[in-house]
Amino acid sequence: MSRPVTWRKDDGLAVVTIDNPPVNALSMAVRQGLLDVFRQIRDDPATHAVALLCAGRTFVAGADIREFSEGDPVAVDPNGIFDLIEHLGKPVLATIHGTALGGGFELALASHYRIALANARVGLPEITLGLVPGAGGTQRSVRLMGVRPALELMLSGTPIAAPEAMKKGLIDEIVEGDLLAAAKAFFSRLPAGGEATRRASERPIGDAETALADIESARQELLGKSRAPLAAARIVDCVSAAVSQSFAQGLEFERHQFLASVRSPESAALRHIFFAEREAARIPGLPEGVQKHPVAKVGVIGAGTMGGGIAMNFINVGIPVVLIDMGQEALDRGLGIIRRNYETTLAKGKLTREQLDARMALLTGALQYGDVADCDLVIEAVFENMSIKKEVLGKLGGLCKPDAIIATNTSSLDVDELALATGRPQDVLGMHFFSPANVMRLLEVVRGRQTSPAALATVMALAKRIGKVAVVSGVCYGFIGNRMLEGYLREAELLLMEGATPAQVDQALEAFGMAMGPHRMMDLAGVDVGAKVLIERGKAGGLPADPAYRSVIQTLHQLGRNGQKAGVGYYRYEGRKAVSDPVVDDICAGLAARYGIARRSDIAAGEIVRRCLYPLINEGAKTLEEGIAYRASDIDVVWTSGYGFPARLGGPMHQADVIGLAAILEGMAVFARRYGNQYGYWEPAALLQKLAASGQRFADY
Ligand code: CAA
């Protein structure tokens, strides 16, 4: 295997190149290579300066995250290498293109100088993986940019553009063109013998009083955030060490915190999600080298909230969209909402007027379906009703150009049946966007029985282009996410009839980490929307014979308590604030009496979480054994990116592995004994039983 770090002499300049595709991660081999190469350069009298470059698409994008699970992340200690670089006795210049992140940016910070292309980005995103920067990042960033900006950089984890980094003192120059030529030009301007080996580690930290005040205010802010990652407090502690201790002591403290964070369950879960999101893009059974279609223009049918949100995804990345609605008024309203959304972003300073105008210029409204005839992808987002959707798709089948992909945005209907309505089912798949479609990251891509590999591959690639995390689901009721949601909501409602209040259930699940409890979620999504889906499913014979099944939502709907938009639902609303409403408790008590459900007052938070979580896991296991989901990790991505499941718990299937499958089976058996299992609610999935019996985890499946 070729060496990932090499160097050559170029007229007294040592040119070091890191070449470790795809992202030049600072793997053990790269660390060893850097150590060897910099020792050689140190001892070479013929070189007097060093330019550090990276091959391929990016500068070093961080430590090799895989090593955190598989190996020793500090074997060949990066701090030892960075110390060697800082004390090389020859100026070292990091030349940055692409992204310099985490350990990669720490390498650049340990270099004496940094230049970057204007479109490069730099940052310390470790917190997003539940980690503390582990190679001097917390100590050097503070010395270069000051306490408050360094805390902002590390606690947000968001990379910043090179020009902004330059303003903040992290980059010395923005350059253009060839980086080696720029490095030579940079060195030619360096005063001989002047600041030849300027070291970030030796820079003084500004006024100590201000620094300590900034640290204290960061601590206070964290205290107010119940969902702050645990790594956040560790990062603040490291910054505090930077201010109050020597560089060497601070580095030692940081190392300790870094190793503790690597071992934390939070980081294991977040790393799992990092790789799960990327793995989801790999589709089993697709032929090698399948040709993707170019997508230069998109049509969206239906200018409602969903259609409008879908359209925004494409115009945001420069793809023209034709938005169709049947009536001028509906179309104008839809176009107006899109413009208002952008105006709001503009007002927040996150979009310029020019960008807004450019995006709106990519959007055309039309009243005739024929206007999508030249689109490469057409997505229908009309009312969730089989016969309406079939009619629309039938028209599209005849109108769309050959090879155009036709997608349905259904959240529950049979995509195979819908596909047949087009007369060209090979071109059809489901694109299940989540509301608000321009904000939510998840896209379930529903692979029909006849969906062509090209259509599937095209849409998966397009999803990445519009910034979505896409997960493939097979065809079944509710696909992966909504299908699993059923059991979760069933238990949430049964708990209400047993005597818990909506707030009690929501609080327990929010304390567990869900972004929103189930009842607040239903109120926001619309009780009517949920009830109608249920009614349709009942008509199709898809509900259990249990008369109490989801009877709370149906009753609320009958009473016109349709959620936040109606001012009443599971809660009463004062503006957007949900307030407990005793009327709902009375409704639930009435339903309990009607269906013979025993009321009790001993429902604890732990029971609420287990009652709702175990059906989720069990149904997840069923989608896996049926091949609806390809991998347990895909299910985790669906739930963390679309349903507010906390990423720091890694998704329901990862959590199941953490809890232990045998313990879950045991818990389900207890619930079956205690609450009865007449309708099979606590019947374990065969896969769950099989894995538990052989001591395996979902991750092994
Ligand atoms: N370690 C190992 N593999 C990595 C990696 C890393 N740090 N970063 C990316 N990869 C892999 C991905 O898994 C993916 O592999 P596959 O193709 O096999 O799926 C491949 O590189 C390409 O990654 P993306 O699909 O994400 O490519 P992209 O162009 O969309 O994004 C990126 C590139 C911005 C660098 C993005 O990959 C990213 O954000 N990476 C993580 C950066 C990060 O968090 N760095 C900090 C690491 S922790 C650390 O450094 C600790 C420390 O202080 C020492």
Side-chain angles (χ1 to χ4, degrees):
M1 211 184 107
S2 63
R3 284 173 300 151
V5 186
T6 52
W7 77 287
R8 65 185 170 84
K9 288 179 212 180
D10 184 340
D11 201 15
L13 180 68
V15 181
V16 177
T17 305
I18 300 176
D19 187 1
N20 182 32
V23 296
N24 290 316
L26 207 57
S27 64
M28 167 101 148
V30 170
R31 297 198 299 278
Q32 188 62 57
L34 284 170
L35 192 62
D36 295 344
V37 159
F38 273 98
R39 278 181 181 150
Q40 290 163 23
I41 295 170
R42 178 193 58 195
D43 299 338
D44 178 45
T47 50
H48 49 76
V50 186
L52 179 58
L53 288 98
C54 284
R57 60 172 153 139
T58 181
F59 194 78
V60 176
D64 188 332
I65 306 166
R66 286 185 201 277
E67 283 181 2
F68 295 163
S69 312
E70 294 161 7
D72 178 355
V74 289
V76 190
D77 182 8
N79 281 333
I81 305 165
F82 296 173
D83 185 64
L84 171 66
I85 290 175
E86 265 201 329
H87 294 91
L88 198 70
K90 304 172 188 187
V92 179
L93 170 70
T95 70
I96 301 172
H97 72 293
T99 44
L101 301 176
F105 191 46
E106 291 171 306
L107 167 64
L109 293 179
S111 304
H112 306 106
Y113 299 96
R114 292 157 290 280
I115 58 175
L117 296 179
N119 62 0
R121 287 179 308 132
V122 302
L124 295 167
E126 283 86 342
I127 194 165
T128 59
L129 297 169
L131 296 170
V132 167
T138 63
Q139 307 298 299
R140 288 192 179 88
S141 63
V142 167
R143 286 174 164 81
L144 284 168
M145 69 195 305
V147 165
R148 189 189 283 265
L151 278 170
E152 256 170 42
L153 187 72
M154 291 184 281
L155 292 178
S156 74
T158 311
I160 54 175
E164 189 187 341
M166 189 168 118
K167 274 192 215 136
K168 292 186 164 158
L170 296 172
I171 300 277
D172 296 294
E173 263 182 32
I174 302 295
V175 296
E176 282 180 0
D178 178 60
L179 281 173
L180 180 57
K184 286 178 182 171
F186 183 89
F187 278 127
S188 73
R189 291 191 302 273
L190 255 197
E195 273 198 307
T197 50
R198 174 182 75 152
R199 297 183 187 107
S201 63
E202 291 172 3
R203 294 266 291 249
I205 295 178
D207 173 50
E209 212 168 301
T210 317
L212 291 174
D214 286 342
I215 290 167
E216 190 46 35
S217 90
R219 282 212 172 98
Q220 289 306 323
E221 224 173 283
L222 286 183
L223 284 179
K225 286 186 189 161
S226 57
R227 284 168 213 278
L230 301 177
R234 292 185 192 279
I235 288 174
V236 179
D237 289 346
C238 289
V239 170
S240 175
V243 172
S244 58
Q245 300 178 28
S246 70
F247 179 76
Q249 287 168 326
L251 209 56
E252 180 63 29
F253 184 79
E254 180 199 74
R255 165 52 41 96
H256 184 72
Q257 294 298 321
F258 168 69
L259 287 174
S261 69
V262 170
R263 288 191 287 264
S264 69
E266 173 182 84
S267 177
L270 290 166
R271 282 168 2 229
H272 162 73
I273 290 297
F274 177 86
F275 288 114
E277 287 185 357
R278 283 150 185 86
E279 188 66 20
R282 284 186 253 274
I283 309 160
L286 271 202
E288 271 298 287
V290 54
Q291 281 291 319
K292 298 182 195 92
H293 301 306
V295 178
K297 190 173 178 188
V298 172
V300 178
I301 313 290
T305 314
M306 200 36 123
I310 293 172
M312 287 174 76
N313 284 298
F314 296 101
I315 53 180
N316 286 350
V317 297
I319 302 175
V321 171
V322 187
L323 184 63
I324 308 277
D325 212 297
M326 290 294 83
Q328 188 68 49
E329 210 180 300
L331 184 62
D332 289 345
R333 195 170 46 239
L335 292 170
I337 290 173
I338 294 177
R339 176 172 285 280
R340 271 203 302 285
N341 282 341
Y342 284 135
E343 296 280 358
T344 309
T345 317
L346 177 90
K348 287 184 190 155
K350 291 182 180 165
L351 196 74
T352 64
R353 175 60 63 187
E354 293 71 43
Q355 285 169 321
L356 184 151
D357 291 342
R359 290 186 191 184
M360 288 308 290
L362 290 170
L363 183 64
T364 316
L367 297 169
Q368 307 291 334
Y369 281 19
D371 285 58
V372 299
D374 62 342
C375 290
D376 305 293
L377 165 70
V378 181
I379 306 168
E380 72 73 17
V382 300
F383 194 66
E384 183 79 355
N385 172 288
M386 186 55 107
S387 54
I388 297 177
K389 283 201 190 277
K390 270 185 172 172
E391 191 190 323
V392 171
L393 286 163
K395 283 189 193 148
L396 291 179
L399 274 170
C400 292
K401 65 180 182 184
D403 273 357
I405 299 168
I406 303 173
T408 165
N409 175 53
T410 178
S411 57
S412 61
L413 299 175
D414 184 335
V415 171
D416 285 328
E417 193 177 336
L418 290 169
L420 287 176
T422 63
R424 43 193 280 191
Q426 72 281 3
D427 296 331
V428 179
L429 42 67
M431 286 176 83
H432 181 204
F433 286 86
F434 289 72
S435 191
N438 54 317
V439 177
M440 295 294 286
R441 284 178 72 229
L442 178 63
L443 177 69
E444 272 184 322
V445 176
V446 187
R447 183 181 193 171
R449 220 180 3 247
Q450 299 190 56
T451 303
S452 74
L456 189 61
T458 301
V459 166
M460 291 302 281
L462 187 64
K464 180 155 186 181
R465 198 167 149 205
I466 61 173
K468 298 289 178 205
V469 30
V471 175
V472 177
S473 167
V475 177
C476 69
Y477 176 81
F479 317 126
I480 298 173
N482 281 349
R483 169 174 167 171
M484 289 171 64
L485 190 63
E486 268 302 305
Y488 174 83
L489 294 179
R490 174 196 81 215
E491 289 306 309
E493 282 201 11
L494 277 170
L495 283 158
L496 297 188
M497 289 186 271
E498 286 167 30
T501 64
Q504 196 185 340
V505 173
D506 285 354
Q507 276 159 16
L509 286 158
E510 285 165 19
F512 167 75
M514 298 300 291
M516 205 183 267
H519 303 119
R520 282 212 300 137
M521 182 182 82
M522 287 314 298
D523 269 356
L524 195 64
V527 166
D528 50 339
V529 177
K532 279 180 191 154
V533 169
L534 210 64
I535 293 164
E536 287 301 314
R537 199 170 171 213
K539 282 187 202 156
L543 295 181
D546 179 1
Y549 187 78
R550 309 276 321 270
S551 58
V552 178
I553 191 169
Q554 302 197 53
T555 308
L556 293 178
H557 174 50
Q558 281 156 14
L559 294 170
R561 298 185 66 105
N562 283 328
Q564 190 170 317
K565 65 189 171 201
V568 281
Y570 289 88
Y571 294 89
R572 186 168 58 74
Y573 287 86
E574 288 172 4
R576 285 176 158 199
K577 189 170 165 237
V579 182
S580 289
D581 189 343
V583 175
V584 175
D585 303 334
D586 293 344
I587 292 170
C588 294
L591 289 169
R594 185 187 309 167
Y595 297 119
I597 294 170
R599 299 276 287 176
R600 58 204 176 93
S601 55
D602 62 347
I603 303 175
E607 177 185 339
I608 293 171
V609 171
R610 287 192 302 278
R611 287 272 298 274
C612 295
L613 182 64
Y614 291 178
L616 204 60
I617 293 165
N618 198 39
E619 200 61 35
K622 287 182 190 167
T623 67
L624 265 182
E625 69 194 17
E626 289 170 23
I628 297 295
Y630 295 140
R631 326 167 174 89
S633 62
D634 284 4
I635 296 174
D636 288 335
V637 173
V638 165
W639 274 80
T640 50
S641 58
Y643 290 83
F645 197 100
R648 65 180 168 75
L649 297 181
M653 309 315 272
H654 177 84
Q655 237 349 262
D657 285 344
V658 170
I659 296 166
L661 305 192
I664 291 169
L665 277 181
E666 216 176 282
M668 287 174 63
V670 168
F671 292 144
R673 277 197 300 277
R674 208 184 285 166
Y675 306 114
N677 196 24
Q678 197 183 345
Y679 302 103
Y681 294 159
W682 299 110
E683 212 51 54
L687 179 65
L688 180 56
Q689 287 174 303
K690 192 178 108 188
L691 294 178
S694 56
Q696 285 179 292
R697 303 168 310 153
F698 283 118
D700 306 317
Y701 178 68

